[in-house]
Amino acid sequence: MSLLRTPGAAAATAGLRGGRPLMSLPEQIAERIFAAIARGEYAPGERIREEMLAEQFAVSRGPVREALRILERDSVVCILPNRGSHVTQLSIQEVSDIFEIRRDLLGAMVRRMVAVDPLLIARIEAELGELEARANQPAAAEAHLEATVRIGRLLGETCGNERLAQILGSLARQTRRYSRLGLATAARRRESALTWRAMVRCLEAGDANGAASAIEGLIDASRREAVRQLQAVAAPPVSQPPPHKDILQ
């Protein structure tokens, strides 16, 4: 499966080397690989080939190998001895557990934000505008999810605890594939946008506890929907009894 089969991918690859990077080269490559996994371009269990990625990104295999280690740390890929790197497939229980941990830590982070910079509010408001505009659009789950990821990063950048922000970033990456399930319907996206809006109003009012409760409820709703959809996929089809045959026929 090629990471570079989508439109504009060549430009994205060139961007790995262009300008002043905000991340190391392995981190940038890890983001590209993860984006492809999150879009479903790699199926759970599918192998990710280092040599192919090195050729596509025009780098040696060293940065690619380090990028895969970054993704292994976040439970996105699993590196098996003599078998290479494969996309992980978490159990339903693991998905539920990771969402729960993320909810509790994100709530704790937001509760620290008693005084919020108006500039942060303005930046979140801009992302909220996109959330609300796309809530009713068909097939808008990916764009909605990207906007919520950016809001989460904004909160992390200003929480005053760099280590906590790093942990939450890792947890967000682990749950991202499954968050897409929780935002698959317009109804869920509308609910998500309303909850983010409620969180911002609480932050503006200096109500950090209210903001934390809003975001905890948001993650709980995503967790329930993601688990529901995973259970529906995992459930065996209901077999129908064979048609009754009249022995006299």
Side-chain angles (χ1 to χ4, degrees):
M1 173 69 68
S2 172
L3 289 176
L4 306 180
R5 288 178 182 171
T6 54
T13 306
L16 285 172
R17 292 182 178 276
R20 183 179 177 182
L22 298 176
M23 299 182 290
S24 69
L25 183 59
E27 288 171 335
Q28 293 178 68
I29 294 172
E31 284 295 316
R32 302 295 187 193
I33 299 170
F34 174 72
I37 293 172
R39 289 192 300 267
E41 294 180 21
Y42 281 88
E46 185 173 348
R47 185 175 180 183
I48 302 175
R49 299 185 179 278
E50 289 181 12
E51 64 276 13
M52 183 186 71
L53 294 178
E55 181 178 350
Q56 289 171 346
F57 288 125
V59 298
S60 68
R61 292 177 65 172
V64 173
R65 190 173 298 117
E66 183 59 31
L68 292 171
R69 290 195 188 104
I70 292 171
L71 295 176
E72 183 184 39
R73 180 194 64 200
D74 291 341
S75 301
V76 175
V77 304
C78 178
I79 302 176
L80 303 174
N82 303 317
R83 294 177 57 190
S85 302
H86 299 257
V87 179
T88 58
Q89 183 171 14
L90 300 179
S91 70
I92 292 173
Q93 185 61 54
E94 286 174 314
V95 170
S96 183
D97 289 348
I98 294 170
F99 267 98
E100 184 177 341
I101 295 168
R102 183 178 171 222
R103 177 202 65 199
D104 292 347
L105 289 180
L106 191 52
M109 182 184 79
V110 172
R111 284 188 174 87
R112 296 166 53 92
M113 304 177 71
V114 178
V116 180
D117 186 343
L119 179 59
L120 171 64
I121 296 294
R123 294 173 71 187
I124 295 177
E125 287 277 2
E127 298 293 351
L128 274 176
E130 181 172 350
L131 284 186
E132 292 164 342
R134 292 179 176 273
N136 293 309
Q137 293 180 2
E142 189 62 35
H144 186 108
L145 180 58
E146 289 293 335
T148 64
V149 168
R150 290 192 294 271
I151 293 173
R153 286 176 180 164
L154 287 173
L155 293 172
E157 288 170 4
T158 57
C159 76
N161 187 322
E162 184 177 349
R163 183 57 178 156
L164 177 58
Q166 290 174 347
I167 293 170
L168 281 166
S170 176
L171 290 169
R173 179 176 275 169
Q174 292 178 53
T175 58
R176 189 166 169 182
R177 284 178 287 170
Y178 305 98
S179 294
R180 293 173 75 246
L181 298 176
L183 294 169
T185 66
R188 276 289 303 123
R189 292 194 294 274
R190 287 193 298 270
E191 180 185 351
S192 171
L194 287 171
T195 307
W196 279 111
R197 175 65 67 184
M199 185 210 71
V200 170
R201 286 173 180 158
C202 287
L203 286 179
E204 287 178 309
D207 181 6
N209 282 329
S213 294
I215 206 164
E216 287 166 349
L218 179 72
I219 294 176
D220 260 341
S222 289
R223 175 182 59 82
R224 287 192 298 269
E225 180 62 17
V227 169
R228 186 189 69 79
Q229 292 203 35
L230 288 170
Q231 288 172 334
V233 171
V238 178
S239 59
Q240 297 294 327
H244 175 70
K245 293 184 179 181
D246 193 331
I247 62 173
L248 297 180
Q249 288 181 347

